[in-house]
Amino acid sequence: MDARRMSRAVPRVRQVGFFTPNTPVQQPRPQSAAPSSESPPLSDSPASNSLSPVMIPPPRHLSDNLGGRTAAVPVPGRENSGELPTVGSYNLSESVLWLDSPPRSRIGDEELSEGAESSLGWYRRSNSAKFASSLPSGGFNLSTVKHPESVAAVEAKNPLPGKSEAQKEQASSSKPLKAKTTKAERRALQESQRAAKAASKAEANKSGTAGGAPSSKPMKQPPLKKDGPPVASSIAASERIGVDRSVEKERKKDLPPPRKQFDDESPGGRAKRRSVLNQPEARNRVELFRHLPPHKNGTQLPYLQSKFFELHEKHPAVYKVGLQYLAGDLSGGNARCIAMLQAFQEAIRDYSTPPEKTLTRDLTSKIGGFVSFLIECRPLSMSMGNAIRFLKSRIARLPLTLSESEAKTTLCSDIDRFINEKIVLADKVILRHAATKIRDGDVLLTYGSSCVVEMILLYAHELGKQFRVVVVDSHPILEGQKLLRRLVVKGLSCIYTQLNAISYVMHEVTRVFLGASSIFSNGTVYSMVGTASVAMVAHAFRVPVLVCCEAYKFHERVQLDSICFNELGDPDAISKVPGRVDVNFLDNLTDKQKENLELLNLKYDATPSDYISVIVTDYGMIPPTSVPVIVREYRKEYLLI
Amino acid sequence: MWWRSASFILDRQQEQNTNLPPNPESLLLSSPPPSMADSLQNPKPDISAYYQTRAAHHAVVTNDWLAQAQAAVSVQTNDDVSSGSDGRVAPTGGGTGGDNKTFSVIDEFNSWRKQPDLAEAVAAIRALAAVIRASQATTMMELEIELKKASDSLKAWDATSISLTAGCDLFMRYVTRTSALEYEDFNSARYRLIERAEKFGEISYKARRIIAMLSQDFIFDGCTILVHGFSRVVLEVLKTAAQNKKNFRVFCTEGRPDRTGLRLSNELAKLDVPVKLLIDSAVAYTMDEVDMVLVGADGVVESGGIINMMGTYQIALVSHSMNKPVYVAAESYKFARLYPLDQKDMGPALRTIDFGVPIPSKVEVEKSARDYTPPQYLTLLFTDLGVLTPSVVSDELIQLYL
């Protein structure tokens, strides 16, 4: 208990200051060695306290560690706790575990310090993708990248014997990238996964009962990690869990841990532990963007689908939305946000409070679980974060006197209202504002396919304004073609061109209309990649740039570049042309050659506010400098509505 | 040719200002007031009434105008005095307008507008206050609708005047947005409204003094200030600086086509401030001597930019490229919820331009009276809300209107 507390308290102290390149390597060694020399219960704290303030591991590491520890213990409010009531008295089991956990981890530490090097390396490789994904410091803090071990871990891409069957399957099936797997293949995959799962479950149960821990505990561990280590089975069953955890802990210490960005979604770190999806292996990733989670491509879809019935706690509606995100069927900020909210709505409708729990707390944690699942499928957009924040605040504000059904209907109507007011009606207001800026004879340029901009163009057309539209598009998504089709069908006269030709078209353009995924409080517009170049070219040609964006997408964060926060797309999407063998020049590279190739498919970029003339939002037309005013003035109200 | 000298004409004008409407144009506007339907329609919709009035109030007037004015004097003196007193008595008397069946906001507004010292927005505010007083409504809603109608007709009367529109909007906002209204009976609520309207009028009227006080910190001894056109706020600022015994010198642009700069230079010469007159095209030539540019504004728009007399934009561009600060003195009632993206993005405010020689009909003449200066070329705005950066304008507007 004491040790726990201490280790919990220490990170806060250590968060301040710099850390030298070598500390992450050196630091864990003495720490893990400590238990053998000192009295066990206090072992952790002195070691960590003795650290000089300079040797500060980045915060993410610590919070991860924290999360890791607590995650293994069934704490109320945790996502998995829904299953717990079956295990007799809830409080009892908790307290038992609480007391149990520290010694175990110490055992693990000892184990490791003695001779777990090999198994450690093994673990690391089996989870290499996870490593890579948890390496924001790699991109940012070049010093940590130099760390030889981490680089080795990241570069370890050859599949290892210990790799789970499912993962191997993934690796093999990931070759024909977005090519659809046949039904038979999928079936086979499912079959094999199920088998692996059953085996691992049996094993887990065995170890769980032998260790005297509540049987529900092993369930907590994501099955994925479980089927991995055959080495673990050789370890005494009673120590297994402890080792498992401590290995992970050790690994985290050992690696230059991902630096927790101030802007990281808080569940992100913890979500890693209960991740449902296989993390794709990191290969050919550009150094500067290593900190971003790698793209999860559609090949994981069958895998996830196969797990449909295992993830009880995920509501089917949420699951469906997650799969849609993953498959790329749902794109566009508003569409994604609405789909998510509606899925939550459905989940809330089907929700019933478990006994001995309060709706407010349990539902919040449940939503948190959904959200972390969705994050795994695809990183959330800022607007979705805002919507989730709204929903959570609504749940937290529910009066305690409300009955469950009342509370549920209130929440559902709140969600409806949010969708209606913040998205649907907001769009209508934006239409009306933006249409005043379209005159006869204008040539309007738009980039990609923004639903608001499309509505504006159609609305202005309905008003009988005479104008032409230039649709600028870019690989690999080519969303603009969809927009183009809809516009041409409606009878607008359009010009279609690629982003490369933008400087040639720009001189005859009179207005540029852009959509946005989010707008930060320094006026930076975060939008589909390429938007910044469009805005810059327009600025150079002195063409006014209008950004159309609903106010619920405003975010109080400040961002200066598109590096520290972004989303990676499928790297193969830019290296291959589907169905064209003759132009797939990058296809037949050997593995050795591929090592020299880094592919970067960014999804978003940040447009500095200097290039934006006006932001058209549901509160009217405002200069980019007024975004913080809107955020400040309406955030409260909007969390209150 | 002594009678053609500016000061002579000006003195004459000053003399006459009190007892005759300065411009035949505005006479024309205000002379046919009897029927309400008539006055609702701006008689010359293609010419900006706002800029006509400005020209009338501030321009150095030409000789033929003097002759016209002379001729008009005998007819107009009585009329004007009566209308002036009418306008002045009505608000203070309180409710005297009520008996007048054919009460018209626009007449009211025009009568207020004739005072050269009264800004258009303040005139509009006073006219709207008179509407409340004259109103025979019995419920709050009725009154509000009436007020709305009046302000709409005012706005429609001269769509080119930004401060008129902004003044009306602000009044509606300020007056009707009071929580006290819901709890009182109609009469006391109405008095409260009138009270607020009066207070608002007072605030607006005093705005110029506040701005003059605030801007004193920016005028330092030995500085050279470039001003463009005639602005009452700018004059007030400079006057206060001169009274504070600051040593500064002023460059006045000529302010074509109505040559409002001449008027300003005259006013300043009276204050013993060293003044130099420039033709409008000499701005870049003299810019290296200039320490700051001080301009007024017809309207301050939501982007933080200003709409002002033609030529402001180019002065701002020149001073921006030479790293000279551009200060704008503008009262907060000129803040308008407009967002021009470029110069042509506003409704045109046209005015007649006299080139002195006949222009062939094939030659087109740019008649726009104003231009838009984007916020990135402005340094600070001196307003009665304080000294603001351009980006704060939008903040203020958001807080006012949303």
Side-chain angles (χ1 to χ4, degrees):
Chain A
M1 207 66 185
D2 250 6
R4 269 187 62 87
R5 285 276 154 75
M6 292 306 279
S7 67
R8 193 188 269 266
V10 167
R12 278 190 207 121
V13 181
R14 287 200 271 157
Q15 277 185 8
V16 199
F18 305 93
F19 59 98
T20 54
N22 285 333
T23 42
V25 212
Q26 290 165 349
Q27 179 229 323
R29 293 288 134 84
Q31 202 180 354
S32 54
S36 52
S37 58
E38 289 177 32
S39 64
L42 292 169
S43 64
D44 246 312
S45 43
S48 40
N49 276 344
S50 67
L51 285 173
S52 87
V54 189
M55 297 163 59
I56 290 155
R60 171 81 162 273
H61 166 203
L62 298 153
S63 68
D64 251 2
N65 224 345
L66 253 186
R69 281 185 179 207
T70 45
V73 180
V75 172
R78 214 142 259 298
E79 163 213 347
N80 289 332
S81 54
E83 310 162 8
L84 272 173
T86 52
V87 195
S89 162
Y90 176 74
N91 281 331
L92 185 78
S93 70
E94 185 201 333
S95 63
V96 165
L97 285 167
W98 204 273
L99 288 172
D100 271 359
S101 49
R104 266 207 211 106
S105 69
R106 247 176 284 121
I107 293 167
D109 276 357
E110 273 169 14
E111 275 266 341
L112 270 170
S113 61
E114 281 161 26
E117 283 305 322
S118 61
S119 71
L120 195 133
W122 185 90
Y123 264 96
R124 197 182 286 150
R125 252 170 261 131
S126 73
N127 280 330
S128 65
K130 192 174 286 177
F131 265 159
S133 72
S134 59
L135 255 179
S137 47
F140 242 59
N141 209 318
L142 286 176
S143 56
T144 47
V145 176
K146 297 288 171 287
H147 189 327
E149 275 189 35
S150 73
V151 171
V154 170
E155 279 173 359
K157 11 179 200 284
N158 39 342
L160 276 141
K163 207 163 194 180
S164 77
E165 240 170 305
Q167 266 173 324
K168 254 192 261 171
E169 278 286 342
Q170 227 77 70
S172 63
S173 65
S174 71
K175 225 175 237 165
L177 241 153
K178 277 203 169 155
K180 289 252 172 183
T181 46
T182 67
K183 212 168 192 176
E185 271 177 325
R186 258 181 279 148
R187 172 57 57 87
L189 180 68
Q190 265 180 351
E191 239 26 269
S192 65
Q193 279 160 352
R194 219 164 274 163
K197 174 76 21 117
S200 72
K201 209 172 236 170
E203 188 189 31
N205 276 339
K206 197 175 61 194
S207 69
T209 45
S215 60
S216 70
K217 191 169 182 185
M219 303 273 280
K220 228 118 280 154
Q221 306 275 345
L224 219 161
K225 269 173 221 150
K226 204 71 61 55
D227 18 322
V231 188
S233 61
S234 68
I235 302 171
S238 61
E239 286 173 8
R240 205 195 102 93
I241 297 158
V243 171
D244 208 339
R245 263 208 277 123
S246 60
V247 165
E248 263 180 34
K249 202 179 77 183
E250 178 66 18
R251 191 200 63 211
K252 273 177 199 142
K253 276 184 205 150
D254 210 0
L255 257 198
R259 187 201 269 289
K260 172 130 177 139
Q261 310 253 327
F262 73 95
D263 48 24
D264 267 354
E265 291 290 324
S266 56
R270 266 175 281 134
K272 285 277 138 48
R273 289 222 19 146
R274 46 185 184 207
S275 83
V276 179
L277 277 174
N278 286 325
Q279 301 283 348
E281 50 183 328
R283 55 184 182 86
N284 300 350
R285 294 179 57 197
V286 176
E287 196 71 38
L288 199 55
F289 292 94
R290 285 251 164 95
H291 61 287
L292 300 174
H295 175 73
K296 290 153 200 135
N297 53 33
T299 49
Q300 302 226 343
L301 207 55
Y303 170 71
L304 204 62
Q305 275 166 351
S306 70
K307 294 183 64 169
F308 189 86
F309 297 105
E310 289 155 30
L311 300 159
H312 311 285
E313 71 270 22
K314 309 275 180 273
H315 190 274
V318 178
Y319 208 87
K320 186 180 143 202
V321 172
L323 291 180
Q324 281 174 326
Y325 287 175
L326 192 63
D329 294 343
L330 260 181
S331 61
N334 285 344
R336 275 169 70 200
C337 191
I338 291 175
M340 179 190 73
L341 285 175
Q342 279 171 345
F344 285 170
Q345 208 175 14
E346 225 162 288
I348 288 171
R349 263 188 217 119
D350 295 345
Y351 171 83
S352 61
T353 318
E356 296 177 42
K357 289 201 177 180
T358 55
L359 178 130
T360 327
R361 296 189 176 236
D362 189 52
L363 191 57
T364 313
S365 69
K366 207 142 176 109
I367 298 279
F370 295 158
V371 170
S372 60
F373 168 72
L374 292 179
I375 290 175
E376 275 177 59
C377 295
R378 187 177 165 188
L380 292 189
S381 66
M382 234 64 68
S383 51
M384 293 160 78
N386 281 344
I388 291 164
R389 216 181 328 165
F390 162 78
L391 180 59
K392 284 194 174 170
S393 83
R394 290 311 300 173
I395 295 174
R397 270 164 205 285
L398 281 177
L400 289 171
T401 50
L402 240 54
S403 76
E404 190 181 308
S405 64
E406 277 173 338
K408 276 157 65 179
T409 38
T410 321
L411 285 178
C412 287
S413 70
D414 277 340
I415 293 178
D416 269 336
R417 215 169 37 163
F418 184 90
I419 294 176
N420 206 24
E421 280 178 13
K422 295 289 164 191
I423 305 178
V424 179
L425 287 178
D427 280 345
K428 289 206 174 121
V429 177
I430 291 175
L431 288 194
R432 228 166 297 138
H433 284 302
T436 60
K437 292 293 167 206
I438 300 177
R439 296 167 301 186
D440 281 346
D442 264 347
V443 181
L444 313 176
L445 183 141
T446 183
Y447 175 67
S449 166
S450 155
C451 64
V452 192
V453 172
E454 182 186 343
M455 283 192 271
I456 290 167
L457 297 177
L458 293 177
Y459 178 70
H461 183 67
E462 273 169 35
L463 291 181
K465 302 204 177 191
Q466 299 296 316
F467 60 91
R468 281 184 301 150
V469 182
V470 182
V471 179
V472 179
D473 208 352
S474 77
H475 273 283
I477 311 175
L478 294 177
E479 282 179 313
Q481 292 184 352
K482 289 185 218 159
L483 171 71
L484 191 69
R485 184 179 179 82
R486 291 189 291 257
L487 292 182
V488 170
V489 165
K490 286 275 164 70
L492 282 86
S493 61
C494 295
I495 299 170
Y496 179 73
T497 184
Q498 291 278 322
L499 186 58
N500 327 351
I502 185 114
S503 57
Y504 294 94
V505 260
M506 195 54 90
H507 69 90
E508 55 176 306
V509 172
T510 56
R511 297 268 189 278
V512 174
F513 281 88
L514 297 173
S517 166
S518 177
I519 299 182
F520 299 112
S521 56
N522 58 344
T524 303
V525 171
Y526 183 70
S527 188
M528 180 189 157
V529 69
T531 305
S533 18
V534 174
M536 285 174 196
V537 173
H539 180 76
F541 280 80
R542 303 278 175 243
V543 179
V545 177
L546 295 93
V547 174
C548 308
C549 179
E550 300 86 354
Y552 86 103
K553 290 178 177 173
F554 288 9
H555 202 279
E556 64 265 20
R557 176 190 299 177
V558 168
Q559 194 174 325
L560 302 172
D561 55 35
S562 31
I563 298 167
C564 63
F565 185 88
N566 211 321
E567 192 182 328
L568 290 180
D570 185 358
D572 290 312
I574 52 169
S575 66
K576 287 176 186 169
V577 183
R580 287 291 297 274
V581 191
D582 52 329
V583 289
N584 283 334
F585 303 113
L586 296 177
D587 248 1
N588 299 319
L589 292 177
T590 62
D591 279 354
K592 184 100 170 105
Q593 287 163 331
K594 272 186 183 166
E595 269 174 32
N596 299 327
L597 173 68
E598 290 176 339
L599 295 169
L600 176 64
N601 181 9
L602 277 184
K603 287 218 167 156
Y604 295 100
D605 65 12
T607 312
S609 59
D610 305 353
Y611 303 114
I612 294 153
S613 320
V614 58
I615 293 171
V616 186
T617 177
D618 32 335
Y619 295 111
M621 286 180 281
I622 57 164
T625 47
S626 287
V627 174
V629 186
I630 298 279
V631 171
R632 163 162 47 86
E633 296 287 313
Y634 297 103
R635 179 69 67 204
K636 287 166 271 160
E637 169 219 294
Y638 132 69
L639 287 177
L640 288 177
I641 359 174
Chain B
M1 305 287 260
W2 54 273
W3 65 87
R4 294 195 68 160
S5 79
S7 61
F8 172 72
I9 296 175
L10 259 164
D11 286 347
R12 288 295 296 272
Q13 191 198 12
Q14 288 288 298
E15 223 174 85
Q16 287 155 1
N17 244 341
T18 47
N19 53 14
L20 97 158
N23 198 327
E25 204 61 59
S26 69
L27 272 183
L28 207 114
L29 295 182
S30 51
S31 50
S35 85
M36 193 152 158
D38 246 19
S39 60
L40 277 176
Q41 217 57 40
N42 196 340
K44 282 183 134 188
D46 52 334
I47 300 289
S48 165
Y50 176 72
Y51 287 96
Q52 287 298 333
T53 320
R54 272 190 75 86
H57 285 165
H58 312 313
V60 173
V61 276
T62 47
N63 234 19
D64 48 325
W65 174 83
L66 266 186
Q68 280 182 9
Q70 215 75 45
V73 146
S74 53
V75 193
Q76 284 302 316
T77 321
N78 316 327
D79 185 43
D80 189 59
V81 164
S82 68
S83 82
S85 63
D86 200 37
R88 239 156 273 161
V89 166
T92 43
T96 48
D99 56 335
N100 187 1
K101 268 288 177 196
T102 56
F103 177 84
S104 151
V105 218
I106 289 161
D107 298 342
E108 182 76 25
F109 170 63
N110 277 328
S111 73
W112 280 112
R113 212 162 60 110
K114 275 178 212 144
Q115 301 182 30
D117 247 9
L118 205 60
E120 196 148 277
V122 182
I125 288 161
R126 298 218 166 148
L128 287 175
V131 169
I132 302 181
R133 242 175 256 117
S135 155
Q136 279 148 359
T138 49
T139 62
M140 218 51 227
M141 204 59 206
E142 239 176 286
L143 182 64
E144 211 172 313
I145 291 168
E146 206 168 304
L147 211 54
K148 183 94 184 66
K149 220 187 278 173
S151 88
D152 281 349
S153 64
L154 261 187
K155 283 193 264 181
W157 185 78
D158 184 5
T160 56
S161 168
I162 295 161
S163 60
L164 172 59
T165 314
C168 288
D169 286 349
L170 273 175
F171 181 85
M172 293 298 290
R173 213 70 202 174
Y174 181 83
V175 169
T176 55
R177 239 202 186 185
T178 158
S179 54
L181 290 180
E182 289 150 30
Y183 308 107
E184 292 175 51
D185 66 323
F186 175 69
N187 264 331
S188 55
R190 185 158 158 264
Y191 277 118
R192 188 171 289 270
L193 276 190
I194 294 172
E195 209 174 278
R196 280 178 77 90
E198 226 118 81
K199 194 164 156 241
F200 189 52
E202 278 305 298
I203 292 171
S204 311
Y205 196 66
K206 283 179 187 154
R208 228 172 275 159
R209 280 305 312 157
I210 300 170
I211 294 169
M213 298 312 292
L214 282 173
S215 54
Q216 289 312 302
D217 297 343
F218 294 85
I219 298 172
F220 51 91
D221 271 341
C223 69
T224 306
I225 304 170
L226 176 75
V227 295
H228 180 61
F230 182 90
S231 155
R232 282 164 295 200
V233 201
V234 170
L235 181 61
E236 184 82 29
V237 168
L238 296 176
K239 208 187 261 177
T240 315
Q243 279 159 5
N244 290 351
K245 306 263 181 280
K246 298 209 172 175
N247 290 317
F248 60 97
R249 125 182 114 127
V250 178
F251 289 176
C252 282
T253 57
E254 182 193 6
R256 284 277 291 155
D258 43 19
R259 301 159 86 195
T260 45
L262 299 189
R263 162 94 192 272
L264 186 70
S265 60
N266 270 292
E267 297 281 332
L268 289 171
K270 278 188 213 158
L271 299 167
D272 284 335
V273 174
V275 190
K276 191 190 225 176
L277 259 177
L278 318 171
I279 51 171
D280 289 335
S281 37
V283 169
Y285 173 79
T286 45
M287 191 55 86
D288 56 346
E289 286 177 66
V290 170
D291 289 310
M292 68 180 80
V293 176
L294 182 61
V295 291
D298 297 340
V300 180
V301 295
E302 198 157 0
S303 61
I306 56 164
I307 291 170
N308 196 24
M309 182 189 159
M310 187 63 89
T312 311
Y313 182 37
Q314 64 197 27
I315 291 175
L317 278 175
V318 169
S319 49
H320 182 77
S321 71
M322 298 205 183
N323 281 335
K324 311 283 180 186
V326 179
Y327 300 130
V328 178
E331 302 92 329
S332 63
Y333 54 72
K334 286 177 175 167
F335 287 15
R337 289 218 81 191
L338 286 174
Y339 204 120
L341 294 171
D342 49 34
Q343 300 299 329
K344 310 280 164 12
D345 203 14
M346 308 166 283
L350 303 180
R351 74 172 156 201
T352 50
I353 294 172
D354 178 25
F355 284 95
V357 287
I359 305 291
S361 61
K362 282 178 192 167
V363 176
E364 231 184 307
V365 177
E366 175 62 69
K367 286 183 182 166
S368 181
R370 62 191 181 187
D371 60 17
Y372 163 62
T373 310
Q376 61 261 38
Y377 303 113
L378 306 178
T379 314
L380 287 174
L381 294 140
F382 304 149
T383 74
D384 45 325
L385 305 172
V387 179
L388 314 176
T389 59
S391 59
V392 183
V393 174
S394 159
D395 301 10
E396 295 289 343
L397 279 170
I398 288 171
Q399 279 170 11
L400 260 172
Y401 282 103
L402 293 178

